[in-house]
Amino acid sequence: EYDNEDPNYGLEYEFTVDEVRSIIESNCGITLSDDVDNWFEMQDVYSGMYIGYVRFDGQKTVTARTMQELFGLKSQAFTIEIGDGKILFKSYGWGHGVGMSQWGACKYADHGYTYDQILRHYYLNTTISLSKKSGKAIERGKAYNTPVQEEPEQENEVEEDSSAESSESLQQ
């Protein structure tokens, strides 16, 4: 819901068809056909728009990470639009799509969500609880929350003569 407030959400990277052809052919060792609409086949799409693999023109399959590197995309969640001699890549967020969006988590917190609600949003079917070791740590910690017993006051038995002697020796 709030992930789209990430400043990296919806970044656009526009290339000419010739620039994209050159990048793919020089880095992947293939020759693309003239059918630009056939150049990109998204494979293994998950969590809405995260791409696992892209197959180029039916010839070579690369990872979404490779696509990020080839075209400078910040995320493996991206779309591709082709038209008017241009190819537009639009990326959503920054990262690999595994785990929690830092920007999204921050925005959820800004809107009043608690840490456990945020974690359950990003990690579906997850239970948040204390382990046995955590429970023991909490029990140990309770000792620090008990009232401190005051110790009887001790009188300061500093002789004036000895402090005066110390003072004199420091001045010399």
Side-chain angles (χ1 to χ4, degrees):
E1 185 175 332
Y2 299 110
D3 293 329
N4 61 352
E5 293 183 35
D6 178 340
N8 297 296
Y9 193 91
L11 294 180
E12 296 184 352
Y13 308 82
E14 186 176 87
F15 298 86
T16 66
V17 168
D18 290 336
E19 288 172 324
V20 170
R21 177 190 298 274
S22 176
I23 290 169
I24 293 172
E25 290 181 349
S26 65
N27 287 284
C28 298
I30 61 173
T31 302
L32 295 171
S33 70
D34 290 331
D35 184 3
V36 179
D37 291 327
N38 195 45
W39 284 6
F40 302 101
E41 178 191 339
M42 307 304 192
Q43 298 177 340
D44 194 24
V45 179
Y46 59 97
S47 295
M49 64 180 78
Y50 282 92
I51 310 299
Y53 302 92
V54 177
R55 185 150 180 84
F56 293 135
D57 204 18
Q59 301 177 51
K60 181 166 184 152
T61 303
V62 298
T63 64
R65 176 72 184 146
T66 299
M67 287 292 290
Q68 278 184 278
E69 293 169 359
L70 290 175
F71 298 102
L73 309 176
K74 288 197 173 189
S75 176
Q76 292 175 19
F78 59 88
T79 57
I80 302 172
E81 297 174 22
I82 301 169
D84 298 325
K86 306 269 186 201
I87 297 179
L88 178 69
F89 296 91
K90 192 182 279 190
S91 69
Y92 301 90
W94 191 338
H96 44 63
V98 179
M100 179 170 49
S101 162
Q102 292 177 11
W103 279 100
C106 185
K107 293 298 180 180
Y108 276 100
D110 288 346
H111 286 88
Y113 286 75
T114 61
Y115 77 93
D116 53 325
Q117 290 172 317
I118 294 168
L119 289 172
R120 281 195 300 269
H121 168 75
Y122 287 102
Y123 302 99
L124 302 177
N125 303 315
T126 299
T127 302
I128 300 170
S129 63
L130 296 173
S131 70
K132 290 180 182 177
K133 288 185 180 183
S134 296
K136 289 178 184 177
I138 289 172
E139 289 302 316
R140 284 193 310 272
K142 286 181 183 177
Y144 294 106
N145 294 328
T146 58
V148 176
Q149 293 180 352
E150 293 184 23
E151 294 186 25
E153 287 186 29
Q154 296 178 349
E155 292 183 23
N156 243 346
E157 297 182 13
V158 177
E159 295 179 17
E160 287 184 34
D161 292 334
S162 64
S163 62
E165 287 174 14
S166 300
S167 175
E168 286 175 14
S169 64
L170 287 175
Q171 290 175 355
Q172 294 177 2

